[in-house]
Amino acid sequence: MSTTSLPSPDRAAALRAALLAAGFTADGLLDVLGAPAYAALARSETVPALRATRDRADDPLASLVRLFLLRRSVSYGHARTALPVDAALEDGWLRREGDEVYATVDVRPYGGPDGEDWFIVSDLGCAVGGAGGIGRREEGVVLGVGGASTTLAGITVRVPVGSALDVGTGSGIQALHAARHATRVTATDVNPRALEFTRLTLALSGEAEAELLAGSLFEPVGEATFDLIVSNPPFVISPGARLTYRDGGMGGDDLCRTLVQQAGERLNPGGYAQFLGNWQHVEGEDWHDRLRSWVPRGCDAWIVQRDVQDVTQYAELWLRDAGDHRDDPGEYERRYAHWLDEFEARKTKAVGFGWITLRRTDAAEPSIVVEEWPHSVEQPLGESVVAHFARQDYLREHDDAALLAGYFVLAEEIVQEQVGAPGAEDPEHVVLRQNRGMRRATKVDTVGAGFAGVCDGSLSAGRILDAIAQLMQEDPVVLRDRTPEAIRMLVEQGFLDPVRDPAP
């Protein structure tokens, strides 16, 4: 584990003010680097940014970029024009060698959801992890913001809550987001250094300090319960616990399963728990059933598989993440074989990745939806998550008769596509497509398309079907009998929104 001492947050407010005054923000980086170099930096490629700042020694913003993002030195004199250098040296944000100063940590501007200028503090060279490959193998290394971090932040429900818990906080991005809508934020991590980085991230971002507790999973919080639980855990399914930041240290997908199963009793009524995770696709077992078995009693669940990789792709991804492909070829082959041996022993044929959301409920029959959706979505999705569970409540409370008596409106930005041979009088099928949220698409028949198109909240579903039956010269009783299932599907997937209190 790294033993490097970390900066003191005591004068972080003064450092923050200097960074903002120099324009060291997400927007400021785009201006100083240009779009190509800015995009390359997000991929952990530093050469374009080095070229963009090489002839700008007198520019305070360029000096900050080279210090905190590119791991380059700047002269003491140039550093003085950008920030309170003596205080930064004394507090440990910088170190000095002769006339040159160096950053001791990575400080990365991060734009909040409402335009906040935040900063994520992490170990040098570890601002972006995951598929980009950080190539660092120290046991206690703390990563910055990667794609998984921003994905979880985007899907998290953002409603005012009394208490929020970030399990496995890392550099603190989830705790940072939670600080904007939770009265009390608790962050835990098995790595004590991660808690100190979270403290730095919150302080430098101008947010209130969180309760920081060391330990694994829910052990540090005891019997405490929360309105919101979030976690981007070390979910990688690997042979052993080699790297704390990514390897859970439990066999197979047991860490993710344990996290989900234990979350239910830590949620307050109506509270949400939201996780990223990996899960095994095991020979002879339906992966949907595997994940349903994880859902704790008393919880609704919405589980979305976003990607699936065969075991060779998966092993290669994470071997490259650790930089093993740069080592001795024989050692790389040995490690690769070790991963495949582990998967073979567990009869694992592939690994899925996705999102898991739980909601504490007192319903007699909880709703558990497990689906695969690898297509693009519109982030942030927090409001869509809330809407999903609201629709589940509605469908649970309404039998077919109540559904036909209900009123509906077509959701926003739904378009209809007709598919068929050129010149054909009638389409082969009709597709309804969402341009918001999950961006789903679904086939409907003529009745379904006509029904959805008429829904504006002024007529009950039954009356609409009676009118369609008359137009199509069908028996209205038969149509009423066979259509509720299609209505349920359109409501469940968000094409139709129930109107609970229709106008008279």
Side-chain angles (χ1 to χ4, degrees):
M1 177 180 292
S2 173
T3 58
T4 304
S5 60
L6 297 180
S8 165
D10 292 346
R11 288 183 280 187
L15 178 57
R16 170 179 171 80
L19 297 178
L20 295 178
F24 191 60
T25 64
D27 290 340
L29 290 187
L30 182 60
D31 290 340
V32 73
L33 298 179
Y38 183 81
L41 196 60
R43 302 190 299 268
S44 297
E45 296 290 350
T46 59
V47 172
L50 285 168
R51 291 173 64 86
T53 57
R54 62 185 173 183
D55 297 325
R56 304 181 64 172
D58 294 329
D59 182 350
L61 179 54
S63 294
L64 293 174
V65 170
R66 294 180 73 85
L67 269 175
F68 289 116
L69 301 183
L70 304 181
R71 302 174 66 185
R72 293 300 194 272
S73 68
V74 302
S75 71
Y76 176 84
H78 288 141
R80 287 188 63 184
T81 67
L83 42 82
V85 66
D86 292 329
L89 286 165
E90 184 178 341
D91 289 349
W93 295 92
L94 304 175
R95 63 180 176 85
R96 184 172 181 176
E97 294 183 9
D99 192 48
E100 298 294 300
V101 295
Y102 299 79
T104 62
V105 290
D106 186 291
V107 176
R108 189 151 302 240
Y110 178 77
D114 296 316
E116 300 94 343
D117 288 316
W118 287 337
F119 299 96
I120 308 298
V121 187
S122 65
D123 273 313
L124 286 170
C126 298
V128 179
I134 64 166
R136 292 283 296 276
R137 280 167 278 184
E138 293 92 337
E139 172 64 15
V141 72
V142 177
L143 300 190
V145 178
S149 302
T150 55
T151 293
L152 179 59
I155 68 173
T156 299
V157 171
R158 301 297 176 193
V159 297
V161 294
S163 57
L165 171 65
D166 177 13
V167 179
T169 187
S171 56
I173 179 175
Q174 309 306 329
L176 184 59
H177 278 274
R180 302 298 291 172
H181 63 104
T183 303
R184 176 173 58 88
V185 177
T186 300
T188 70
D189 205 289
V190 71
N191 180 4
R193 290 185 77 249
L195 299 177
E196 293 307 310
F197 273 110
T198 294
R199 190 189 310 278
L200 295 173
T201 289
L202 291 170
L204 197 57
S205 297
E207 299 294 343
E209 185 170 342
E211 179 186 30
L212 303 174
L213 303 174
S216 178
L217 299 179
F218 295 105
E219 180 272 330
V221 300
E223 301 300 317
T225 57
F226 301 86
D227 301 312
L228 174 67
I229 299 172
V230 294
S231 182
N232 177 17
F235 53 66
V236 176
I237 300 172
S238 61
R242 183 179 173 208
L243 299 173
T244 303
Y245 73 84
R246 69 170 202 190
D247 301 323
M250 297 185 185
D253 52 17
D254 283 354
L255 183 136
C256 288
R257 175 184 57 79
T258 301
L259 182 64
V260 173
Q261 289 180 336
Q262 293 183 357
E265 61 188 9
R266 267 78 177 190
L267 282 176
N268 292 327
Y272 289 90
Q274 298 186 265
F275 315 110
L276 301 185
N278 275 177
W279 41 81
Q280 298 171 122
H281 285 225
V282 177
E283 185 178 345
E285 177 185 60
D286 188 321
W287 68 270
H288 298 81
D289 294 338
R290 183 181 191 84
L291 291 175
R292 287 190 187 96
S293 73
W294 291 7
V295 178
R297 294 182 60 184
C299 287
D300 292 328
W302 184 21
I303 302 173
V304 183
Q305 180 168 277
R306 295 287 290 156
D307 189 23
V308 111
Q309 291 182 317
D310 67 49
V311 293
T312 59
Q313 292 173 311
Y314 190 80
E316 290 162 14
L317 169 67
W318 295 109
L319 287 168
R320 288 179 176 274
D321 170 77
D324 290 326
H325 59 301
R326 304 187 188 103
D327 287 344
D328 174 71
E331 179 65 11
Y332 175 79
E333 291 175 7
R334 188 191 70 78
R335 290 189 184 278
Y336 198 150
H338 190 193
W339 281 66
L340 297 186
D341 288 344
E342 179 80 5
F343 285 130
E344 184 177 352
R346 294 181 176 277
K347 298 183 178 180
T348 302
K349 57 184 180 180
V351 177
F353 168 82
W355 320 323
I356 299 174
T357 299
L358 307 177
R359 184 187 62 163
R360 190 74 187 180
T361 180
D362 58 3
E365 296 184 12
S367 164
I368 301 177
V369 176
V370 182
E371 62 175 321
E372 185 166 19
W373 188 253
H375 311 293
S376 64
V377 299
E378 181 192 45
Q379 286 276 38
L381 270 175
E383 291 184 3
S384 296
V385 172
V386 173
H388 167 87
F389 287 103
R391 293 193 299 268
Q392 298 303 314
D393 288 342
Y394 179 88
L395 293 173
R396 188 160 43 200
E397 296 164 0
H398 290 73
D399 60 17
D400 286 356
L403 207 63
L404 292 174
Y407 293 72
F408 303 91
V409 294
L410 189 66
E412 293 182 0
E413 296 194 36
I414 303 293
V415 297
Q416 176 179 303
E417 300 173 359
Q418 297 188 165
V419 181
E425 183 174 346
D426 297 313
E428 294 177 12
H429 59 264
V430 177
V431 174
L432 298 182
R433 188 178 301 277
Q434 301 168 348
N435 287 321
R436 300 289 301 276
M438 291 292 287
R439 293 178 173 164
R440 299 184 188 275
T442 188
K443 287 184 183 180
V444 292
D445 59 16
T446 304
V447 172
F451 179 87
V454 174
C455 284
D456 62 1
S458 63
L459 295 173
S460 69
R463 289 186 62 187
I464 292 174
L465 291 177
D466 290 344
I468 292 175
Q470 185 175 3
L471 286 172
M472 300 182 65
Q473 297 182 340
E474 289 196 24
D475 185 338
V477 176
V478 173
L479 196 60
R480 278 174 171 256
D481 184 60
R482 68 178 173 86
T483 306
E485 182 178 353
I487 296 175
R488 285 186 181 278
M489 181 275 293
L490 291 173
V491 172
E492 181 175 24
Q493 296 193 1
F495 291 93
L496 293 178
D497 293 325
V499 179
R500 292 184 178 267
D501 298 305

